[in-house]
Amino acid sequence: MFLHSVNLWNLAFYVFMVFLATLGLWDVFFGFEENKCSMSYMFEYPEYQKIELPKKLTKRYPAYELYLYGEGSYAEEHKVLPLTGIPVLFLPGNAGSYKQVRSIGSIALRKAEDIDFKYHFDFFSVNFNEELVALYGGSLQKQTKFVHECIKAILKLYKGQEFAPTSVAIIGHSMGGLVARALLTLKNFKQDLINLLVTQATPHVAPVMPLDRFITEFYMTVNNYWILNARHINLTTLSVAGGFRDYQVRSGLTFLPKLSHHTSALSVVSSAVPKTWVSTDHLSIVWCKQLQLTTIRAFFDLIDADTKQITQKAKKKLSVLNHHFIRHPAKQFEENPSIISDLTEESDKIYFAFPLANHRKIYTHAYCQSTMLDTNSWIFGCINSTSMCRQGVDLSWKAELLPTIKSLTLRLQDYPSLSHIVVYVPSVHGSKFVVDCEFFKKEARSMQLPVTHLFSFGLSSRKVMLNTNGLYYNIELLNFGQIYQAFKVNVVSKCTGSKEEITSIYKLHIPWSYEDSLTIAQVPSSTDISLKLHVAQPENDSHVALLKMYTSSDCQYEVTIKTSFPQILGQVVRFHGGALPAYVVSSILLAYGGQLYSLLSTGYCLEYSTILDKEAKPYKVDPFVIMIKFLLGYRWFKELWDAVLLPELDAIVLTSQSMCFPLVSLILFLFGTCTAYWSGLLSSTSVQLLSSLWLALKRPAELPKDIKVMSPDLPVLTVVFLIVSWTTCGALAILLSYLYYVCKVVHLQASLTTFKNNQPVECGLEDFGFGKQWELCMGLNEHPGSNPKHSRRSEKKSNHHKDSAVQNLRLCANDAEDSLRMHSTVINLLTWVVLLSMPSLIYWLKNLRTRYYFKLSPDPCKPLAFLLIPAIAILGNTHTVSIKSS
């Protein structure tokens, strides 16, 4: 019945939109590299020692606990407190376990063993009872306060020690990182209690899904505090994102705001982290061996030899993090590295010197690379030497570590005092490595490649040929800087001469954010690279995205770029999928309004699919949104908006995050209308299937013929649902009233089906509402006990009455169908309301299982329940007859 009323062109459109949505979803959930993270293993059995907290604290937070991680002999030794190491506190995220600390804790323990426990870290972990804080924000403030108490309790464990710590380092995964940042907003919290904050896959900018006002308020409090107090926040913070593999938290949300006064914050994607170079999903970022090794190396380099704790020098902390997470020069970290080195002539040391005087006249740059990936200095600059170079500037600190080489690019005019470049070749006792050097002009190695247009749909492409036999190329990707852009780059390499395996590296470098990604290719080959952004280019930024190519001199390369339409759809889903429910509900409301107008103007209610096609138009929504966005720029309107507890406008949020691009509202509206159509089809089909099951189990009973405005059970049920909302969970009460509403609609559908199948002359059909009974038809048959003398006299009159009864029958059936159509639309609308309120119900059920809380407090759905339950009661008692007569 639902599909019969749909125009075939409209149906084809809805199917096409499903196809587009599938392409976008596939790109989000499957369109990324395979998981290249190595698993981290424990060498000994992991143990979690529960730290006894004050009874007052345990009573206040019965669901939360604090643990100390240990393995083997370390765990045995530290069962007797106090402790002697450096405290690190791990905070799990949404539904996270305190046991997730074991990966980084075990690696830190192995590192400490390697240096004979000269320094070691004590890893603590908080048990938040695996709370679903991404679904329900009411417990975020409680978690923050408990972490504050944990920090104070941890520091007490070191009292009386020679090198007792006065602060802790914090590692926060997902929402745990946000809780750590929220510590600074507490009135009695001292900033000096935290010396370092590392967050992993934490959505700092905004919640992934703002499912309740407590989440949005918490975010607003934290971010506003950090912005307004940027001058006074000295906390060194590192945020690490997972890249495109993490579809739960997109990397753009993890970038801390760049404030002019807050320079001690770094944000980086794991694919850009040296010695890691992989994308991680939301859980593997906790156990990814490459990333955890990098983190622990940084932690040990942060130790102050005098205090045997993490250094308090902000400059050193930032230098260490830059060294390990941003640009690694293939050397061990040194706080004050020796720039001038002695180039002593020994039998086992070989130096190659390249004079610069003549090359300066022809070339602009020098480039060297080595496959020897040790941490020794390997390249130097000789200062004004004419014969023998005995001292040189150590240029190794300017080098960059890559997966298979370490490379250095020098602009010659930046080093006018250098006379030679000297390359040191160590004795390797039979091991083989390769050192390559070359001079080049920038113009010969820098190519410009304008990206293809967004609406070329991959049908056109642009290419550039690298014909010169060079080792390094820069390809400038012109006009590439928006999040809605996505491209597929194909690099074809053709090699001659060498039969050995040759490796080339293609690095996408984004200068305005640390989200570089590397692709390693064995040449000759054809390699595909995806180009898309996590963070859009700022308006005042003039940098150009680069494709850096570390190539072989024996090969020639052809680079082709074309628009990837599936990846563009993936970007739309990735960045704007959270706004889709608002567009779906808008389309359903437009359809419901159209049904009411049709009923009042024509006397009958149109099918949902028909009225959706007619009424769901973007021009009925977008102008209103633009007007509200404009008015919210005025303070008085913003205060009025906030006073009635209305949420922040999606368009303003998108604009603030540089995500509002042309046509996004239209695209979302089309997807929303499509989703509203298919959800309507699903709800209508579900009602029909349930009514069939109803008829199979129980035939509808005969109903009284009298009309009642309200059934006796309606006030009682409404009060019961409101009591349930007040005493337990608002979402539970909403769900119960919704299920009751669905049962009534199913009953109406079953009664109407029986009526149509049997076509009785005398019939009764129960109103589906919360109790109102209404009469569809009343047969005017002759009573079987009537006097036979009057039979002929009344035969003509009886036939007239029968015709009238059939006509009434048809009119009543039409009214019933109209009511069913309207209530099916309401069910579709309420389904989305229930779905959006489910997170707090899930949170409540989980806590109910652990028996910590029977009443959800605070409850984001309670105000909604007190408005929605009476509204459902009113809608349930509404039918077309009463609407037409109103």
Side-chain angles (χ1 to χ4, degrees), residues 50-76:
K50 186 177 179 180
I51 303 299
E52 292 296 329
L53 298 173
K55 291 184 178 179
K56 185 179 179 181
L57 195 61
T58 305
K59 188 176 181 180
R60 192 187 312 165
Y61 306 101
Y64 301 159
E65 297 168 321
L66 178 64
Y67 288 88
L68 171 66
Y69 177 79
E71 295 178 18
S73 58
Y74 170 87
E76 290 297 324

Side-chain angles (χ1 to χ4, degrees), residues 17 44 55 59 130 162 267 316 381 446 460 468 554 569 634 661 666 669 693 706 741 767 796 798 801 838:
M17 293 302 296
E44 298 176 275
K55 291 184 178 179
K59 188 176 181 180
E130 299 183 10
E162 182 180 358
S267 302
K316 179 182 177 180
S446 293
S460 62
T468 57
D554 297 324
L569 295 173
Y634 292 95
F661 61 86
L666 175 61
F669 192 91
L693 181 63
D706 59 323
Y741 192 101
D767 168 44
K796 188 175 181 180
S798 177
H801 285 174
M838 279 296 99

Side-chain angles (χ1 to χ4, degrees), residues 2-3 11 608 675-686 828:
F2 190 94
L3 286 172
L11 183 60
Y608 172 75
T675 307
Y677 167 78
W678 290 110
S679 66
L681 175 61
L682 180 62
S683 63
S684 177
T685 304
S686 300
N828 190 15

Side-chain angles (χ1 to χ4, degrees), residues 110 131 273 367 467 552 575 753 758 884:
R110 302 283 84 77
E131 289 184 332
V273 175
Y367 173 82
N467 293 317
S552 169
F575 283 85
T753 301
N758 297 333
K884 285 187 285 188

